[in-house]
Amino acid sequence: MSNQTKIAAIIGGGVIGGGWVARFLLAGWDVNLFDPDPEAPRKVGEVLDHARRSLPALYDVKLPDEGQLTFASSIKEAVSDASWIQESVPERLDIKHWTFAEIQAHCAQDALIGSSTSGFKPSELSSESENKSAIFVAHPFNPVYLVPVVELVGDADTLDRASDILDQILMKPIKVKKEIDAHVADRLLEAVWREALWLVNDDIATTEEIDDIIRYGFGLRWAQMGLFETYRIAGGEAGMAHFIEQFGPCLKWPWTKLMDVPDLTDELVDKIASQSDKQSGKHSIRALEQIRDNNLVAMMRALKTQNWGAGALLNYADKQLKSAIPSNAGEQLETVRRVVPVDWTDYNGHMNEGRYGQVFSDAADFIIEFIGADEDYIKSGLSYFTAETNTNFLQECHAGDEFYVQTGVLLAEGKKLKLLHEMKSADGETLATCTQFLLHVDLNTRKSCPPEAHILKNLEALRSNYAVADEQGEA
Ligand SMILES: NC(=O)c1ccc[n+]([C@@H]2O[C@H](COP(=O)([O-])OP(=O)(O)OC[C@H]3O[C@@H](n4cnc5c(N)ncnc54)[C@H](O)[C@@H]3O)[C@@H](O)[C@H]2O)c1
């Protein structure tokens, strides 16, 4: 093994292990999975179906080609060539210790060994290991293939190496400064969960009412600004100090039950379960997962337009992914390749016509950059405007469908550029075509003008390599 291998071993393929499998595979890594449950391939297959439909839809460029999934018959077989090993077995220290011993008996000395544990500290996880610093906490959130954050706890050098790999698989590592039980997120979530159990127990609110208070209320704020930034604003112009001055005393009032936990009696469990059935029982768990995934994709894509929080991370990833696309010198120029995001579909259940405009505009942007009319050229006051488009919609496409666009040149002469975009399904069927007429413009006068000499030269090369004829046979 070496740090260069893009092979991950996932030990335990349940809810979380399955999510890690999808996260690595869709980032182009090969994955070896070991799970003794004979149902594991089916369960992981279902998680992968969800992930393939939703994760690529977060990005506006193509993800790397999917890696290869292998079902290993032992931990030894799974870990021997892996550079990242992710333990995701049940939350019991004895099972985890046994698993780490088996992993470390067969993995490379420098392999990274992350644990998905929700609560154990690295010192507890590695207490029986001779190579303790290789084992660290890499605590993800469900669904691992969509939620980017991973809490890292452990040896500083190991965490630096782990962060690099998590960046590569488009996640957001956060290093926790000191080990504590349950890291950071589960500390916060336990506090909220404890209060929620009391509120149901004491008949203050039902499960649905509590969920509504979160999803119509502070949950919206949390998703984009978290806790401290939200409270800073709540302090008004005087900011955080004023907020603490105003609400600080309430912390000592009996607003919370603090460490008291309601007894999870049969009666309370039945009450919560029946309220939850009434609230959500009309959906299967798989259907709820799909609803959750669609909502997460739509929310993160909305944050992308604001370049904020999880959306800013996606924009950064788009740039990285774009720069990794190999230069495009084949017979036909591929200008877009991506998946239809869920928020591009409409009441007819297919991609909305307005989004075709966006696809073909993205294809034209590719061409404009390709001929050298880049950010600096535009800053210098020269650019292209679209003067006319004509789109033919030939086949439907739906959320999660992969498609690509090939662009040919109908005319490239002085300030005039006419393109033919063909949008095709992953198996090559034409979905739509668009002819687009663009004019080179001076951004100061807002009038058309000839491009600079180097652009004209590139345009000539573009035309000679990628000229096509339109339906009337005009080139
Ligand atoms: N479920 C969550 O929301 C969540 C979130 C973050 C972290 N975690 C943590 O992730 C870990 C896994 O939790 P989960 O929810 O995926 O549990 P799970 O019960 O869904 O999956 C555990 C899997 O481990 C397999 N397994 C059992 N013994 C094994 C062994 N010896 N070797 C290999 N596989 C074995 C089981 O067959 C099962 O498929 C736990 O440490 C948990 O605390 C869970």
Side-chain angles (χ1 to χ4, degrees):
M1 178 325 277
S2 83
N3 277 332
Q4 276 77 50
T5 68
K6 280 195 165 184
I7 301 174
I10 309 297
I11 311 302
V15 172
I16 291 303
W20 278 111
V21 168
R23 182 57 93 161
F24 274 103
L25 280 178
L26 294 181
W29 281 52
D30 290 334
V31 174
N32 301 328
L33 169 68
F34 172 69
D35 190 312
D37 179 1
E39 287 286 300
R42 178 188 61 76
K43 290 185 191 164
V44 169
E46 285 175 18
V47 175
L48 260 174
D49 285 346
H50 280 319
R52 287 187 184 116
R53 186 176 175 278
S54 55
L55 176 72
L58 289 175
Y59 303 98
D60 292 301
V61 288
K62 181 189 174 309
L63 288 176
D65 288 340
E66 192 174 314
Q68 175 89 30
L69 173 60
T70 305
F71 292 95
S73 56
S74 64
I75 289 182
K76 178 181 174 186
E77 192 187 316
V79 302
S80 58
D81 55 357
S83 51
W84 181 294
I85 299 157
Q86 186 69 23
E87 169 279 305
S88 300
V89 302
E91 187 78 347
R92 272 185 37 199
L93 203 50
D94 56 340
I95 303 182
K96 295 205 185 271
H97 280 161
W98 180 87
T99 305
F100 287 127
E102 194 62 11
I103 290 171
Q104 291 199 303
H106 301 291
C107 73
Q109 182 72 12
D110 61 349
L112 290 160
I113 308 172
S115 169
S116 299
T117 180
S118 300
F120 294 121
K121 299 185 285 247
S123 58
E124 293 170 306
L125 297 170
S126 63
S127 62
E128 297 180 0
S129 160
E130 281 174 18
N131 182 7
K132 293 187 193 308
S133 64
I135 297 174
F136 59 98
V137 171
H139 177 238
F141 294 77
N142 191 29
V144 182
Y145 54 84
L146 283 182
V147 179
V149 87
V150 182
E151 293 178 302
L152 292 178
V153 199
D155 170 77
D157 292 340
T158 308
L159 297 195
D160 283 346
R161 291 173 52 216
S163 291
D164 286 348
I165 292 183
L166 292 170
D167 286 341
Q168 280 176 38
I169 62 168
L170 311 174
M171 298 188 86
K172 169 83 178 169
I174 305 269
K175 294 177 192 161
V176 178
K177 290 190 175 57
K178 291 181 192 166
E179 64 165 34
I180 49 166
D181 294 319
H183 333 308
V184 174
D186 284 340
R187 286 249 159 164
L188 297 169
L189 291 174
E190 279 271 314
V192 175
W193 179 231
R194 203 182 293 122
E195 291 303 324
L197 292 177
W198 274 119
L199 293 167
V200 177
N201 181 75
D202 296 348
D203 289 323
I204 310 294
T206 62
T207 59
E208 183 165 3
E209 286 159 351
I210 293 171
D211 282 351
D212 282 349
I213 285 165
I214 296 172
R215 62 187 156 200
Y216 290 89
F218 63 83
L220 290 169
R221 304 191 309 199
W222 279 10
Q224 47 82 49
M225 275 196 178
L227 188 61
F228 285 94
E229 207 159 48
T230 297
Y231 282 165
R232 181 185 174 82
I233 302 173
E237 284 179 10
M240 186 53 110
H242 175 67
F243 179 80
I244 293 176
E245 194 189 340
Q246 188 176 358
F247 293 104
C250 336
L251 293 172
K252 297 203 171 143
W253 299 344
W255 276 17
T256 60
K257 295 270 191 176
L258 300 172
M259 287 306 293
D260 288 347
V261 181
D263 284 335
L264 292 173
T265 58
D266 289 349
E267 194 193 347
L268 178 56
V269 173
D270 283 350
K271 184 172 173 180
I272 295 170
S274 66
Q275 287 186 7
S276 173
D277 286 348
K278 187 164 173 241
Q279 176 188 350
S280 316
K282 56 188 174 292
H283 304 293
S284 70
I285 294 296
R286 288 291 177 228
L288 279 174
E289 283 173 344
Q290 190 156 337
I291 293 166
R292 174 202 63 193
D293 289 0
N294 286 351
N295 291 340
L296 285 172
V297 170
M299 283 162 59
M300 285 194 270
R301 287 189 62 77
L303 287 173
K304 226 175 159 177
T305 63
Q306 304 306 310
N307 200 29
W308 191 263
L313 183 73
L314 295 178
N315 284 332
Y316 175 75
D318 274 355
K319 277 201 181 129
Q320 305 294 109
L321 290 166
K322 203 169 162 192
S323 65
I325 294 173
S327 72
N328 210 325
E331 268 185 16
Q332 294 196 285
L333 193 56
E334 186 175 300
T335 44
V336 172
R337 183 178 282 266
R338 58 169 306 150
V339 159
V340 179
V342 65
D343 60 334
W344 282 19
T345 55
D346 61 18
Y347 50 83
N348 289 323
H350 59 198
M351 184 165 125
N352 179 264
E353 63 187 279
R355 298 297 180 177
Y356 289 80
Q358 182 167 348
V359 168
F360 296 127
S361 164
D362 288 349
D365 283 350
F366 179 97
I367 294 285
I368 288 166
E369 213 179 325
F370 193 72
I371 56 169
D374 55 13
E375 230 175 294
D376 286 344
Y377 188 76
I378 292 164
K379 270 194 202 138
S380 80
L382 297 168
S383 187
Y384 276 91
F385 284 178
T386 297
E388 190 182 324
T389 59
N390 185 359
T391 304
N392 290 315
F393 305 95
L394 303 172
Q395 295 283 340
E396 293 181 296
C397 61
H398 305 98
D401 288 353
E402 182 177 329
F403 68 84
Y404 60 97
V405 177
Q406 289 175 327
T407 300
V409 180
L410 292 165
L411 172 76
E413 227 176 63
K415 59 189 180 183
K416 295 180 192 168
L417 176 61
K418 193 172 179 189
L419 303 170
L420 173 64
H421 306 294
E422 288 183 275
M423 175 178 166
K424 297 184 175 179
S425 66
D427 48 15
E429 192 179 7
T430 304
L431 302 170
T433 60
C434 173
T435 52
Q436 181 176 24
F437 181 59
L438 299 111
L439 279 172
H440 187 271
V441 290
D442 180 325
L443 287 173
N444 295 315
T445 62
R446 318 302 282 183
K447 300 249 184 301
S448 64
C449 69
E452 287 194 350
H454 71 286
I455 302 290
L456 282 172
K457 200 168 143 225
N458 293 343
L459 270 175
E460 179 49 35
L462 181 80
R463 197 186 57 77
S464 66
N465 285 329
Y466 301 110
V468 288
D470 67 14
E471 281 146 24
Q472 284 78 46
E474 290 168 21

